Amino acid sequence: MPKRARTRSPRNIRLARAVSPQQIQGIVRELLQAHDEAGRITSIAARDPQFDLDAAYQVAAELMRQRRGRGSRPGGRKIGFTNRAIGALYGVDAPMWAHVYDDTVSYANDGTAEVSLAGTVAPRMEPEIVFKLRAPIPPGCKDAERLLRCAEWYAHSVEIVHSHFDWKFKLADATADWACHARLIIGEPQAISEESIPALARALPGIRAALLKSGVKQIEGIGANVLGSPVHALAFLADLLARQTFMQPLAAGEVISTGTLTDALPVNPGETWSTEIDGLPLQNLTISYTG
């Protein structure tokens, strides 16, 4: 007779342990303290393998509620790790997102801005493309022109990112940690008209962005690094939010930063950095950093 397949006793089956609500609250307190004190902490995911991406977004949702309770008003989202060229450098394999706030977003004045790095931990600078939504993004949309019709304007922006994990993290850590967001500086917006959409859709993958320190070019990247085109980051976020029923969906009026075109470079007080954008009529930015 053929041997019968051995079955595992239920007591030998190890069930995955979910992160408890009490643990979520403990992580929230730890991250808030690090935020308030510009402190460094060790990887939560390394300490607790059950701390996964789902748990990280639960932490992010509670942090958003806490931040609103402190008086900050969410005004949009930032998407991180959309740059396929640099994910391996940080040990991540997927994008992430977090809210941005009225006290973290500002607009450059004639292409210049002075930015304080106070309260940041190991800050870095990223050149990005940002969109302001005129309408929600339909989930499942992959057509660049249709996505652009949901945007009122686009602009060149610089995001200051930092890490309370001192850039030694797993994706879940970085996601919970406000997706590394510290500041967002937006250049002059360019209106999106129906007539401009086909040309804009074609141009976005080929735009080039460079970071310069004291006028000396340090790094360069292209729009295609960001999920093939920065506008595709909008589709990624809409699709993810459609599955995250505990989060608010995208809405008209939100500003969406789509992710860096280059690697993020460290910045320090006393330095002056600038950007160069080629391929679209976008304003270059000059940022002076203070303590």
Side-chain angles (χ1 to χ4, degrees):
M1 296 179 61
K3 292 184 178 180
R4 299 178 63 181
R6 295 181 62 184
T7 59
R8 297 175 64 188
S9 167
R11 64 188 176 187
N12 293 328
I13 299 175
R14 298 183 62 185
L15 299 177
R17 177 176 63 83
V19 177
S20 70
Q22 293 77 16
Q23 289 173 296
I24 295 292
Q25 291 299 322
I27 294 166
V28 166
R29 289 192 294 270
E30 184 176 15
L31 284 169
L32 278 174
Q33 182 177 359
H35 174 270
D36 292 342
E37 300 175 0
R40 288 171 165 81
I41 58 178
T42 59
S43 165
I44 299 164
R47 286 180 263 152
D48 183 356
Q50 270 66 48
F51 185 68
D52 59 10
L53 204 52
D54 288 339
Y57 280 115
Q58 294 290 340
V59 169
E62 179 59 25
L63 284 171
M64 188 271 287
R65 287 191 284 271
Q66 297 265 357
R67 200 152 177 170
R68 290 189 71 167
R70 294 177 170 202
S72 297
R73 183 171 58 86
R77 329 276 175 125
K78 66 77 51 93
I79 315 172
F81 297 131
T82 51
N83 189 324
R84 296 163 169 166
I86 65 171
L89 299 177
Y90 296 90
V92 300
D93 59 0
M96 60 179 181
W97 75 271
H99 287 91
V100 298
Y101 299 86
D102 56 351
D103 53 7
T104 67
V105 177
S106 60
Y107 287 79
N109 181 12
D110 195 24
T112 65
E114 185 176 276
V115 176
S116 171
L117 297 176
T120 63
V121 178
R124 302 183 180 190
M125 174 182 183
E126 299 180 340
E128 307 198 2
I129 299 297
V130 62
F131 296 93
K132 182 179 180 181
L133 299 184
R134 72 166 80 242
I137 304 293
C141 178
K142 305 302 180 187
D143 181 76
E145 293 188 20
R146 187 180 175 197
L147 291 167
L148 288 171
R149 290 188 180 94
C150 297
E152 177 183 340
W153 53 251
Y154 71 105
H156 168 42
S157 61
V158 164
E159 186 181 16
I160 312 306
V161 291
H162 71 147
S163 171
H164 294 105
F165 301 100
D166 205 16
W167 301 103
K168 301 177 182 68
F169 51 55
K170 297 183 183 298
L171 181 59
D173 297 316
T175 300
D177 191 22
W178 286 280
C180 304
H181 174 68
R183 316 271 192 271
L184 180 65
I185 303 92
I186 301 175
E188 182 179 3
Q190 301 294 314
I192 298 176
S193 65
E194 180 63 31
E195 296 75 19
S196 70
I197 285 176
L200 180 57
R202 291 191 299 270
L204 279 167
I207 60 170
R208 307 194 74 84
L211 290 179
L212 297 85
K213 180 181 179 181
S214 300
V216 179
K217 186 179 292 187
Q218 305 293 313
I219 197 170
E220 187 176 64
I222 62 172
N225 288 340
V226 180
L227 300 181
S229 171
V231 75
H232 291 316
L234 301 179
F236 159 79
L237 183 54
D239 289 350
L240 180 56
L241 287 170
R243 302 190 297 272
Q244 293 179 335
T245 56
F246 55 93
M247 293 290 195
Q248 290 293 319
L250 292 173
E254 289 198 59
V255 171
I256 312 296
S257 183
T258 56
T260 185
L261 281 70
T262 71
D263 192 4
L265 297 187
V267 293
N268 296 285
E271 296 176 347
T272 297
W273 287 72
S274 57
T275 65
E276 287 182 354
I277 299 288
D278 294 314
L280 281 170
L282 289 166
Q283 184 181 57
N284 296 328
L285 297 176
T286 298
I287 312 291
S288 300
Y289 294 105
T290 65

